[in-house]
């Protein structure tokens, strides 16, 4: 239910009942699916005039679709609810024309479409059977957007950037002109019809193209490549690409600056001080004005651009907790008023119309999932658009506390602790250590469904932001940020610090993680036999030499291999390092039960990693359980698989803690 209406689709519903939109009664255990079912709404945005809101939404069938809401009436319209296809991204072109991308089976890029909204909305294919990414929407002609085109569902055949015609309505009903075509031939017909022109190709001698970027006018301006692990930037001038002198090892690019020809960057090499945000001239590499610096955290967030003035007006990012810093007094006053209107909540300005009169704000806390509201400054009115998880009662969720722990080098890092109901020093609960993936990411203070699920089952949860986590990288050398053993040591130190506090039971501690977090979980199982009673790993990497060799098979399509070799070294020449980093080679040291899970179609971390681990656990007689999920990639996209995974995790933890 969103604003009083019910989403109705005609496709087959999930085996898990997703029709209930209200919380279960307080005397009932919250079902597993309530924590992991897709949010009811996310990524909302306003069209230019503020007459419509678009958002990704989910229905009772575990599918994501495109939702259009009329702001005057709040009448909903659902676009593209078809069988095994789902909408995963979109972009407003004009007030009544919207472009969106569709996936197949929750894993494969399938199509790009455009919808002409009106009394009778019409949808047309722009591309079929390929990965297309929106690069820019030119202000001068928004119906000729710029997209990056890759052929095939895996996107390996990179065709570069192109201007496409989003106004041309090609007959997708297979009329007389195309009725004798095969499905594939028809798709190619559609694709060719919509390409106005291919934009200049980036010289392949510069390496693999990793991204394109538009300027403030929405025109293609920059390209990024990587060769031998070294990233480079290129600028489009006079319809030709020229290398930029900017050293991308020294800077992280955020977005284009207010000054034409400049970009906004954060220092990557900061010499022991939090990184500053600068303007940088792309053609000359000359450093311009410093925009912002936090006194304790390197900036890793969003620089907010006002849609009316087209200028950067604020920085939205995370310290230990979320913050918004506004450079514009109007926005600061708005933020202050919103904070007062939503006390004890985080309020983040999310989007606006082109006149900066209507705003979408995202409101949440550690106990409350995000809710989106429309703020009308002219009418001084706030309207709820939708709660993302109305079936979860915030009063049954637990508070998340911020703590710090100390590394071996005496640096202070952040961690989050969530205690279950009734926990105290007199009644210390079992602990789940939950390191994040990445590793160059971070856990953030706020609502976390996985954490709240574990807390609802009686566990305390520790989320340590180990070295390499965004925001604190300035405290460590680049080598330290690629030292996976030191990351493991940070997690161990955070765990022991919490145990010393007396708030958790030292004899009932488990470690659990996904992706790189799964790697850290196995590192804990190998190297800390007296600290953890069991370990859970999902889609983890366990042998880095094998991972590098697997990446080498796709080195012409994916820059991952280059980055590994440049930063970790060649495994043939750095054998000792790879041995030290790889817990999968030390399975015989494990003395605790291990739960291993992985998606069988994972194209980020090969399922072979987990299959080999399962084989070795069996070989050495180590107690273990396993779950290999069909139809899943790097994570669980299907609600039935999420429910099975976390139900198995719940049972495993109950048996071993």
């Amino acid at each position: 239910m969103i604003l009083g209406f019910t989403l109705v689709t005609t496709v087959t519903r999930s085996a898990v009942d997703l029709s209930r939109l209200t919380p279960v009664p307080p005397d009932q255990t919250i079902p597993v699916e309530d924590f992991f079912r897709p949010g009811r709404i996310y990524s909302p945005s306003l069209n230019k005039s503020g007459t419509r809101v678009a958002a990704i939404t989910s229905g009772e069938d575990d599918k994501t679709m495109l939702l259009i809401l009329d702001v005057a009436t709040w009448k909903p319209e659902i676009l593209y609810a078809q069988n095994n296809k789902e909408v995963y991204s979109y972009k407003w072109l004009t007030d009544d024309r919207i472009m969106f991308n569709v996936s197949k089976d929750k894993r494969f890029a399938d199509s790009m479409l455009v919808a002409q909204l009106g009394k009778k909305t019409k949808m047309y294919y722009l591309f079929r059977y390929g990965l297309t990414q929106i690069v820019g929407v030119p202000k001068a002609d928004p119906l000729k957007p710029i997209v990056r085109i890759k052929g095939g569902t895996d996107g390996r055949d990179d065709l570069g950037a192109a201007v496409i015609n989003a106004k041309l309505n090609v007959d997708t009903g297979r009329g007389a002109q195309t009725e004798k075509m095969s499905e594939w031939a028809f798709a190619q017909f559609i694709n060719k019809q919509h390409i106005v022109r291919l934009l200049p190709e980036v010289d392949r001698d510069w390496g693999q193209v990793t991204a394109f970027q538009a300027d403030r006018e929405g025109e293609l301006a920059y390209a990024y490549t990587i060769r031998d692990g070294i990233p480079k930037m290129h600028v489009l001038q006079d319809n030709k690409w020229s290398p930029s002198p900017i050293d991308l090892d020294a800077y992280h690019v955020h977005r284009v600056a207010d000054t034409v020809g400049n970009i906004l960057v954060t220092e990557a090499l900061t010499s022991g001080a939090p990184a500053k945000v600068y303007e940088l001239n792309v053609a000359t590499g000359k450093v311009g004005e410093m925009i912002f610096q936090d006194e304790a955290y390197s900036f890793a967030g969003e620089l907010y651009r006002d849609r009316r003035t087209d200028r950067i007006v604020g920085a939205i990012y995370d310290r230990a907790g979320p913050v918004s810093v506004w450079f514009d007094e109007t926005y600061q006053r708005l933020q202050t008023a919103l904070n007062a209107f939503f006390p004890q909540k985080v309020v983040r300005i999310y989007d606006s119309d082109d006149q900066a009169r209507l705003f979408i704000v995202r409101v949440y806390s550690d106990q409350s999932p995000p809710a989106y509201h429309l703020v009308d400054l002219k009418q001084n009115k706030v309207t709820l658009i939708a709660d993302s998880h109305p079936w979860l009662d915030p009063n049954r969720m637990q508070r998340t506390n911020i703590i710090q722990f100390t590394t071996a080098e005496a640096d202070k890092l952040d961690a989050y602790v969530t205690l279950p109901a009734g926990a105290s020093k007199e009644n210390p609960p079992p602990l789940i250590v939950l390191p994040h993936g990445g590793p160059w990411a971070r856990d953030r203070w706020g609502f976390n469904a996985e954490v709240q699920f574990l807390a609802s089952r009686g566990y305390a949860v520790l989320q340590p932001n180990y070295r390499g986590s965004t925001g604190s990288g300035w405290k460590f050398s680049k080598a330290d940020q690629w030292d996976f053993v030191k990351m493991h040591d940070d997690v161990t130190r955070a765990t022991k610090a919490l145990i010393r506090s007396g708030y958790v039971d030292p004899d009932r501690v488990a470690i659990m993680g996904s992706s790189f977090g799964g790697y850290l979980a196995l590192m804990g199982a190998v190297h800390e036999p007296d600290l953890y009673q069991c370990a859970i790993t999902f889609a983890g990497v366990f042998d880095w030499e094998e991972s590098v060799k697997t990446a080498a098979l796709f080195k012409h399509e994916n820059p991952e291999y280059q980055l590994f070799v440049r930063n970790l070294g060649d495994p043939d020449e750095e054998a000792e390092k790879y041995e030290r980093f790889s817990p999968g080679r030390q399975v015989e040291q494990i003395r605790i039960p291990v739960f291993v899970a992985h998606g069988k179609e994972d194209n980020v971390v090969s399922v072979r990693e987990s299959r080999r681990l399962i084989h070795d656990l069996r070989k050495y007689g180590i107690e273990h359980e396993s779950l290999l999920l069909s139809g899943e990639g790097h994570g669980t996209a299907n609600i039935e698989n999420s429910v099975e995974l976390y139900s198995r995790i719940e049972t495993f933890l109950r048996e071993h803690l």
Side-chain angles (χ1 to χ4, degrees):
M1 187 73 71
I2 299 179
L3 294 174
F5 63 79
T6 301
L7 299 180
V8 179
T9 60
T10 58
V11 293
T12 304
R13 280 177 49 177
S14 164
V16 177
D17 184 7
L18 303 181
S19 62
R20 176 176 48 80
L21 300 178
T22 56
V24 296
D27 60 346
Q28 292 184 16
T29 300
I30 302 173
V32 176
E33 57 265 28
D34 281 16
F35 293 98
F36 300 107
R37 57 190 289 191
R40 198 63 168 159
I41 184 174
Y42 56 95
S43 300
S45 68
L46 284 155
N47 64 357
K48 295 176 180 294
S49 64
T51 58
R52 293 183 173 103
V53 173
I56 305 294
T57 187
S58 65
E60 298 176 12
D61 44 27
D62 190 30
K63 282 173 51 64
T64 56
M65 301 158 286
L66 185 59
L67 168 69
I68 307 294
L69 290 168
D70 184 296
V71 171
T73 65
W74 293 112
K75 181 181 178 181
E77 183 175 8
I78 299 296
L79 303 185
Y80 211 84
Q82 297 185 12
N83 298 327
N84 59 342
K85 308 289 182 67
E86 300 187 55
V87 176
Y88 66 89
S89 69
Y90 71 91
K91 182 76 174 179
W92 283 108
L93 300 180
T94 65
D95 273 348
D96 57 6
R97 199 165 272 243
I98 191 166
M99 186 164 64
F100 57 97
N101 287 96
V102 173
S103 66
K104 180 180 179 181
D105 298 329
K106 297 183 180 288
R107 291 186 293 122
F108 303 110
D110 184 82
S111 307
M112 174 181 276
L113 296 92
V114 65
Q116 175 67 50
L117 306 175
K119 290 184 178 179
K120 188 176 182 180
T121 293
K122 297 180 179 180
M123 291 184 289
Y124 305 94
Y125 283 108
L126 297 177
F127 290 95
R128 297 288 309 274
Y129 307 135
L131 175 62
T132 50
Q133 299 168 319
I134 301 167
V135 176
V137 179
K139 294 180 181 179
D141 194 350
L143 293 181
K144 290 186 177 177
I146 298 164
V147 302
R148 183 181 184 184
I149 305 170
K150 292 186 176 184
T153 56
D154 57 3
R156 292 182 182 179
D157 186 11
D158 195 341
L159 303 179
V163 176
I164 66 171
N165 189 338
K167 186 176 182 180
L168 178 66
N169 299 333
V170 173
D171 177 13
T172 59
R174 301 289 300 272
Q177 181 182 9
T178 60
E179 63 183 2
K180 295 183 179 180
M181 292 183 183
S182 67
E183 188 71 20
W184 178 258
F186 179 60
Q188 301 314 304
F189 168 75
I190 292 173
N191 297 354
K192 291 177 182 178
Q193 288 291 311
H194 286 99
I195 295 177
V196 176
R197 68 180 185 278
L198 292 173
L199 292 165
E201 185 178 5
V202 178
D203 192 329
R204 295 183 183 272
D205 288 341
W206 293 336
Q208 298 171 31
V209 176
T210 57
F212 290 103
Q213 187 176 14
D215 61 18
R216 285 174 60 193
E217 298 302 312
E219 302 287 355
L220 182 63
Y222 311 119
Y224 298 86
T225 62
I226 189 167
R227 182 173 182 177
D228 298 327
I230 301 173
K232 293 290 184 182
M233 186 176 186
H234 312 273
V235 57
L236 186 61
Q237 296 176 319
D238 299 324
N239 211 37
K240 294 172 59 178
W241 290 106
S242 301
S244 168
I246 294 175
D247 180 5
L248 291 185
D249 277 339
Y251 298 100
H252 298 303
V253 177
H254 289 282
R255 61 185 308 173
V256 294
D258 291 345
T259 306
V260 175
N262 285 10
I263 56 172
L264 294 170
V265 299
T266 302
E267 301 165 298
L269 306 175
T270 55
S271 303
K276 306 177 183 70
V277 181
Y278 283 106
E279 283 199 19
L280 206 61
N281 185 271
V282 178
T284 66
K286 183 179 179 180
V287 175
E289 179 185 2
M290 189 189 84
I291 303 299
F292 176 69
Q293 183 185 29
D294 187 282
E295 62 183 13
Y297 291 81
S298 292
F299 176 77
E302 177 191 358
L303 293 163
Y304 188 90
R305 187 180 294 281
D306 177 79
R307 282 174 59 172
R308 180 173 56 87
T309 64
D310 201 31
R311 299 190 66 80
I312 299 294
V313 293
I316 301 172
Y317 65 107
D318 287 273
R319 294 169 55 91
V323 294
S324 298
V325 176
W326 298 105
F327 316 140
D328 180 279
E329 289 186 7
T330 301
Y331 276 83
Q332 183 55 60
R333 289 195 297 270
L334 175 59
Q335 183 73 59
T336 300
L338 290 170
N339 291 346
F341 191 85
F342 297 102
Q344 308 300 315
K345 298 286 181 68
V346 176
V347 185
R348 288 202 152 170
I349 296 174
Y350 197 80
D351 189 37
S352 78
D353 64 355
D354 278 6
Q355 296 303 310
R357 179 181 67 86
L358 295 174
F359 287 85
I360 294 176
V361 297
R362 185 173 185 259
V363 182
Y364 67 95
S365 73
D366 51 349
Q367 296 174 281
S368 300
Y372 296 94
H373 299 258
L374 185 69
V375 178
D376 187 329
L377 297 184
K378 186 175 181 179
Q379 297 186 30
N380 196 28
K381 181 180 179 183
V382 178
T383 303
L384 173 67
I385 300 173
D387 285 311
S388 63
H389 294 70
W391 48 81
L392 288 175
D393 181 359
N395 294 320
R396 298 187 68 182
M397 304 297 109
Q398 304 305 313
R399 300 303 307 268
T400 296
N401 302 290
I402 302 169
I403 66 169
Q404 287 192 320
F405 65 95
T406 305
T407 69
E409 300 89 347
D411 289 301
K412 298 288 187 181
L413 294 176
D414 298 325
Y416 303 108
V417 177
T418 304
L419 298 176
S424 66
K425 285 190 174 182
E426 292 71 32
N427 183 34
L431 170 66
I432 311 299
V433 181
L434 191 67
H436 62 74
W440 305 283
R442 68 172 287 125
D443 278 314
R444 293 174 168 82
W445 185 93
F447 182 81
N448 183 302
E450 186 176 38
V451 169
Q452 293 296 337
F453 163 71
L454 292 169
S456 76
R457 270 50 179 176
Y459 301 103
V461 183
L462 171 67
Q463 300 168 272
N465 279 318
Y466 47 85
R467 73 188 63 210
S469 299
T470 52
S472 62
W474 63 272
K475 298 181 179 182
F476 306 98
S477 68
K478 185 175 182 180
D480 272 356
Q481 294 186 61
W482 278 86
D483 193 321
F484 303 152
V485 173
K486 289 184 177 180
M487 293 178 180
H488 153 72
D489 184 64
D490 292 343
V491 172
T492 301
R493 288 173 179 271
T495 304
K496 291 180 176 179
L498 180 58
I499 289 173
R500 286 194 297 271
S501 74
Y503 281 99
V504 296
D505 187 339
D507 297 322
R508 292 188 294 162
V509 183
I511 185 166
M512 166 178 163
S514 302
S515 194
F516 191 83
Y519 162 79
L520 290 171
L522 195 67
M523 285 287 283
V526 168
H527 296 291
E528 300 295 335
D530 298 325
L531 183 59
Y532 303 113
Q533 279 65 59
C534 62
I536 299 168
T537 176
F538 180 66
V541 178
F542 311 123
D543 188 325
W544 286 99
E545 180 177 352
E546 288 300 315
S547 293
V548 171
K549 289 181 177 179
T550 299
L553 300 175
F554 307 99
K555 62 183 179 181
H556 298 297
E557 297 87 24
N558 191 321
E560 189 177 64
Y561 171 75
Q562 300 177 37
L563 293 171
F564 280 149
V565 171
R566 185 184 182 202
N567 292 285
L568 293 180
D570 189 317
D572 293 332
E573 299 173 3
E574 300 275 359
E576 186 278 331
K577 178 190 289 186
Y578 277 85
E579 185 75 23
R580 186 166 59 94
F581 283 179
S582 299
R585 298 183 179 186
Q586 304 158 59
V587 173
E588 71 276 8
Q589 297 182 34
I590 297 176
R591 299 291 181 267
I592 61 176
V594 180
F595 182 94
V596 185
H598 211 124
K600 290 183 179 179
E601 282 71 51
D602 193 339
N603 61 358
V604 177
V605 177
S606 173
V607 69
R608 290 194 301 271
E609 295 269 357
S610 289
R611 291 188 189 277
R612 189 179 303 112
L613 174 59
I614 294 165
H615 171 273
D616 289 345
L617 290 169
R618 185 181 301 117
K619 173 182 175 181
Y620 292 109
I622 298 166
E623 184 178 355
H624 66 279
E625 295 184 27
S626 63
L627 177 62
L628 302 182
L629 296 165
S630 299
E632 294 289 5
H634 197 59
T636 52
N638 298 282
I639 184 62
E640 294 94 338
N641 287 334
S642 295
V643 170
E644 182 178 5
L645 172 64
Y646 283 96
S647 296
R648 289 279 301 274
I649 287 173
E650 181 178 3
T651 301
F652 181 82
L653 290 173
R654 185 168 59 244
E655 291 176 351
H656 298 290
L657 288 186

